[in-house]
Amino acid sequence: MSLIKSTKSEEANKYELEVKVDKETFTAATTRVYKRQVKNINIPGFRKGKAPKHIIERMYGKTVFYDDAIEDTYPTALSEATVEADLKAVGVDDLKIDEVGDDGYTFTAVIIVAPELTVDGYKGIEVEKISTEVTDELVDEELQAVRERNGRMVTVEDRAAQNGDTAVIDFEGFVDGDAFDGGKAENYNLRLGDGNFIPGFEDAIVGHSTGEEFTIDVTFPEDYNAENLAGKDAQFKITLHEIKVKELPEVDDEFVKDVSEKDTLEEYKEELKEKVAERLKENAEKDFDDKLTDALFALETEEIPEVMFDNEVRDMLNEFDMRLRQQGMDLETYLKYTGMDKAAVEATYKPQAEKRVKIRLVLEAIARQEAIEVSDEDVENEYKKLSEAYNMEADQVKTFIAPEALSQDIKVEKAMQLVRDNAKVK
């Protein structure tokens, strides 16, 4: 059991706690450490692993198990102390052991706490909502997308390659007469005009015909991701094997029957209209929320502890790792494939992490200022939603998400709904 001996504010968002771990707790911890380690300890006159605790302490000193016992107990003691002090800890800046003895030990910790903001201006935020009107042009675009998905590639033999075609080519690249790594491929399908290759590469294939072998000259961009090639002049030997073009189906009732459950084009257009309307509604709602959160982000003006951003980056990386594992990969493998290191990935997440943390703090402040409450029924309903989303029993979900954490998430969402309800739509 831990006991706070003193609490004092060090500086903004930092508190120093002096904590006492009592004799009973510390003695129990040294006994646990003894039981873990005794099997590896040799004492003359005793079989290995059978020496009594007091004998080992007499030979090696009574402090022999202290360090490991402290390691076992201080995290829980610190956690209990921060709860007792009613502090929302987000990190530990410093920790030192002050006194250790038979009666337990005392330690001092400087903990970093989340700031409690006070915000104004969250009611009446002006937001321009994007249009959700379903036009004939949007329905036609949706229909064209369906045609594209159902098109088939056919070979063109009576003309030269042009933009929009897919050229099947062999290529090999050279710089200063030497082939370079990654510059060679066979039977590569390259859609001309999409700009996926080095500037000038695709344009140089346009006008050539099936069966031709030719050389093209290009220059790698100065900001090319391979430093050994950036800004260099290169030559590519090309063999054009085939020219293909996508042939789209005619839009008629037969096409409709092939791609849907409808019988006529008019019926299918009505279905697409509903689909477009739903998408526009979702896009408008997301855009509305994005604009609101941008406005909330601007309301945060206080200094935020850097550790909160670091914690959020860590959580985002863990989420990414979980998504990768669902696809049969993990973060370590991903880093090897992409040639990135963990620090580089963390840097890409940092701006988003900062925004997440600041908006969360603003919404928590709104929840406090508006005295937003969360009922037991709210929490149970949310557990039910999560269990359905994850296809798990509610009791299983509770082992992953504590009620207190879920309650805070609900409170934040209620604060966001309050902001939505009070926004002024232009």
Side-chain angles (χ1 to χ4, degrees):
M1 178 177 178
S2 63
L3 173 68
I4 297 178
K5 294 185 67 176
S6 66
T7 306
K8 64 179 179 179
S9 176
E10 287 287 289
E11 54 185 272
N13 303 320
K14 287 187 179 181
Y15 282 84
E16 181 184 275
L17 296 181
E18 187 180 5
V19 183
K20 169 71 177 179
V21 176
D22 62 26
K23 178 178 181 179
E24 182 181 359
T25 301
F26 191 53
T27 301
T30 58
T31 300
R32 288 196 302 273
V33 173
Y34 157 73
K35 289 178 179 179
R36 287 203 307 265
Q37 296 182 357
V38 66
K39 61 181 178 293
N40 300 316
I41 298 175
N42 284 315
I43 298 292
F46 296 90
R47 284 184 298 158
K48 185 177 181 180
K50 298 298 181 179
K53 180 171 179 277
H54 70 278
I55 297 296
I56 298 172
E57 289 174 335
R58 185 185 304 164
M59 174 165 283
Y60 292 103
K62 67 178 182 179
T63 64
V64 63
F65 300 120
Y66 279 10
D67 287 348
D68 287 328
I70 290 171
E71 286 295 319
D72 276 8
T73 53
Y74 90 80
T76 299
L78 182 58
S79 177
E80 291 175 352
T82 55
V83 170
E84 185 181 339
D86 195 24
L87 297 174
K88 184 180 177 182
V90 295
V92 180
D93 193 40
D94 186 34
L95 187 146
K96 63 179 181 179
I97 307 302
D98 298 321
E99 299 175 4
V100 187
D102 291 341
D103 291 333
Y105 67 96
T106 302
F107 69 91
T108 302
V110 176
I111 65 169
I112 305 169
V113 300
E116 290 197 355
L117 313 181
T118 300
V119 295
D120 296 307
Y122 55 85
K123 289 183 178 179
I125 297 173
E126 293 189 353
V127 177
E128 185 173 354
K129 208 163 186 179
I130 60 176
S131 173
T132 57
E133 180 186 0
V134 181
T135 64
D136 291 340
E137 289 78 8
L138 289 173
V139 175
D140 289 341
E141 287 176 9
E142 190 72 22
L143 185 58
Q144 181 63 21
V146 177
R147 288 185 74 202
E148 289 284 348
R149 290 196 295 271
N150 287 274
R152 63 189 185 94
M153 301 301 295
V154 296
T155 300
V156 175
E157 298 178 341
D158 58 352
R159 63 169 174 78
Q162 59 189 37
N163 280 330
D165 292 344
T166 295
V168 183
I169 60 173
D170 295 344
F171 65 83
E172 185 172 15
F174 299 84
V175 170
D176 297 328
D178 297 323
F180 55 86
D181 291 341
K184 183 177 181 179
E186 295 180 351
N187 293 314
Y188 188 90
N189 284 262
L190 177 63
R191 182 176 162 84
L192 304 179
D194 283 359
N196 291 325
F197 266 38
I198 309 160
F201 189 99
E202 295 167 26
D203 292 339
I205 295 174
V206 171
H208 289 279
S209 300
T210 300
E212 281 192 53
E213 296 182 4
F214 52 96
T215 300
I216 63 176
D217 296 313
V218 295
T219 301
F220 282 96
E222 293 291 342
D223 59 352
Y224 194 67
N225 56 12
E227 291 184 9
N228 61 315
L229 298 175
K232 297 289 183 67
D233 293 330
Q235 296 77 42
F236 281 87
K237 292 181 179 179
I238 309 290
T239 300
L240 178 54
H241 291 297
E242 187 180 4
I243 300 169
K244 298 189 291 187
V245 66
K246 182 177 281 189
E247 187 177 81
L248 302 181
E250 290 294 326
V251 178
D252 53 24
D253 290 348
E254 291 304 313
F255 167 74
V256 168
K257 291 174 185 177
D258 287 340
V259 299
S260 75
E261 299 297 321
K262 302 299 181 182
D263 293 321
T264 68
L265 180 57
E266 288 307 312
E267 291 175 339
Y268 186 49
K269 281 190 174 183
E270 284 302 314
E271 182 182 274
L272 292 180
K273 188 174 182 179
E274 293 175 5
K275 182 178 179 181
V276 171
E278 184 62 29
R279 186 176 71 240
L280 291 177
K281 179 184 176 183
E282 290 176 359
N283 290 344
E285 290 174 353
K286 182 181 183 303
D287 179 77
F288 184 67
D289 272 5
D290 287 346
K291 288 172 180 174
L292 284 178
T293 54
D294 286 343
L296 294 176
F297 180 71
L299 297 179
E300 193 288 309
T301 58
E302 297 186 29
E303 184 177 346
I304 307 299
E306 191 70 21
V307 68
M308 295 189 72
F309 303 140
D310 295 338
N311 290 344
E312 187 66 26
V313 168
R314 182 199 61 215
D315 290 345
M316 292 170 73
L317 273 180
N318 288 339
E319 291 171 9
F320 182 50
D321 187 33
M322 287 178 62
R323 292 197 299 272
L324 288 173
R325 290 177 186 276
Q326 289 172 350
Q327 300 168 21
M329 191 183 286
D330 58 23
L331 182 60
E332 185 177 350
T333 306
Y334 172 83
L335 294 176
K336 288 180 180 178
Y337 281 148
T338 59
M340 299 177 70
D341 59 22
K342 190 175 181 181
V345 178
E346 289 174 342
T348 64
Y349 278 124
K350 193 67 176 285
Q352 186 182 355
E354 291 183 2
K355 188 171 184 178
R356 276 194 188 186
V357 168
K358 290 182 178 182
I359 290 171
R360 172 88 180 198
L361 288 173
V362 169
L363 289 171
E364 288 177 351
I366 293 171
R368 283 194 304 274
Q369 291 168 211
E370 295 289 337
I372 291 175
E373 298 291 339
V374 175
S375 67
D376 291 342
E377 184 180 1
D378 290 332
V379 174
E380 287 305 316
N381 286 340
E382 191 62 25
Y383 272 128
K384 183 178 179 181
K385 290 179 185 177
L386 290 171
S387 66
E388 291 172 354
Y390 292 118
N391 195 25
M392 298 169 62
E393 294 294 328
D395 288 341
Q396 288 180 285
V397 178
K398 290 177 182 179
T399 63
F400 296 105
I401 307 174
E404 297 80 6
L406 189 59
S407 177
Q408 190 62 24
D409 288 345
I410 297 170
K411 192 174 290 188
V412 164
E413 178 50 40
K414 286 190 174 188
M416 185 65 197
Q417 189 59 51
L418 182 146
V419 174
R420 291 189 194 102
D421 293 341
N422 286 275
K424 294 181 180 178
V425 181
K426 296 192 290 183

